[in-house]
Amino acid sequence: MKLILARDVLAANDKIAEQNHALLSSKAVTAINVMSSPGAGKTTLIAETIRSLKQDLNIAVIEGDIQSTYDAEQISATGAQVVQINTGGACHLDAGMINESLGHIDLDAVDLLIIENVGNLVCPAGFNLGEGYKVMLLSVTEGDDKPVKYPMMFHESSALLINKIDLLPYIECSVEKIRTEALKIKPDLGIFEVSAKTGKGLDDWYRWLKKMVRRNGTQDEN
Ligand SMILES: Nc1nc2c(ncn2[C@@H]2O[C@H](COP(=O)(O)OP(=O)(O)OP(=O)(O)O)[C@@H](O)[C@H]2O)c(=O)[nH]1
Ligand SMILES: [Mg+2]
């Protein structure tokens, strides 16, 4: 019997992630891995980002879902190249899935690759995909205790978007507490308070994103 330990799985994943990273670097593609709980607003944010930046940047998207093509259809409507991955039950994307998807994207025509991970606040943070930056969303409806209860994703991310701030008048959530606790976990975390729905706060996010593309940010800063 062969017993596969989690660290073997992660080491195998890291090897493929390095290959992805090298391929993306050679094509000068900046890749971001967008993670959050289900429903925090990843697809809404990605679609809005494409609509706002498509004059300046060539953007492609890899959509990760347990099943369905629902999100990919929303992204396709923006005109961006999109590849859908159905994980068939797995709660996160892994580097092998991305490796296969990259073969279906015209990387020579892409500046920015946005990867929407499977909605889950835990597992996606453990798997490098070969991206340049991990970015997470936290919706204010999830509560301000999330950094304390689920620190790993905050620790792995380069930027945090606190989303759905248009709903703040209707719920109890301290954005200040999220900021304070998140910065204790990751002192250099870029934090943006946004509403992907109304567009509030998105200009700062776009500036950050463009800066990363200019830096040709496929070198992981972590
Ligand atoms: N009020 C409000 N609703 C939002 C905002 N962003 C997203 N939503 C809504 O939240 C719901 C979920 O948004 P999605 O973009 O599908 O979230 P997701 O993270 O992609 O979800 P999964 O792919 O299922 O994990 C949708 O009904 C969106 O319209 C926001 O800033 N404000
Ligand atoms: Mg989605």
Side-chain angles (χ1 to χ4, degrees), residues 8-19:
D8 294 335
V9 174
L10 289 174
N13 182 78
D14 280 349
K15 228 177 183 168
I16 304 173
E18 275 170 29
Q19 292 168 14

Side-chain angles (χ1 to χ4, degrees), residues 100-209:
E100 200 179 326
S101 305
L102 291 177
H104 298 281
I105 297 174
D106 178 9
L107 294 174
D108 289 320
V110 173
D111 306 307
L112 174 64
L113 174 65
I114 304 178
I115 302 166
E116 177 174 344
N117 217 309
V118 177
N120 184 312
L121 201 50
V122 182
C123 313
F127 284 78
N128 289 325
L129 303 179
E131 73 282 82
Y133 302 96
K134 293 184 175 71
V135 168
M136 74 169 287
L137 272 77
L138 180 71
S139 162
V140 295
T141 55
E142 294 173 69
D144 50 26
D145 57 356
K146 291 301 165 292
V148 175
K149 292 174 72 173
Y150 301 89
M152 186 173 165
M153 193 171 282
F154 293 84
H155 185 263
E156 295 301 309
S157 295
S158 299
L160 163 67
L161 289 102
I162 302 173
N163 191 31
K164 308 197 188 182
I165 57 167
D166 57 299
L167 298 180
L168 279 172
Y170 313 106
I171 54 168
E172 268 185 45
C173 174
S174 164
V175 170
E176 218 29 63
K177 183 176 167 191
I178 295 173
R179 272 185 175 275
T180 306
E181 297 298 337
L183 288 172
K184 277 187 205 164
I185 297 163
K186 185 79 185 278
D188 60 348
L189 187 66
I191 302 181
F192 305 96
E193 294 171 28
V194 304
S195 168
K197 198 87 165 177
T198 68
K200 194 164 178 203
L202 288 179
D203 283 346
D204 286 342
W205 156 242
Y206 297 149
R207 263 190 288 279
W208 184 89
L209 210 44

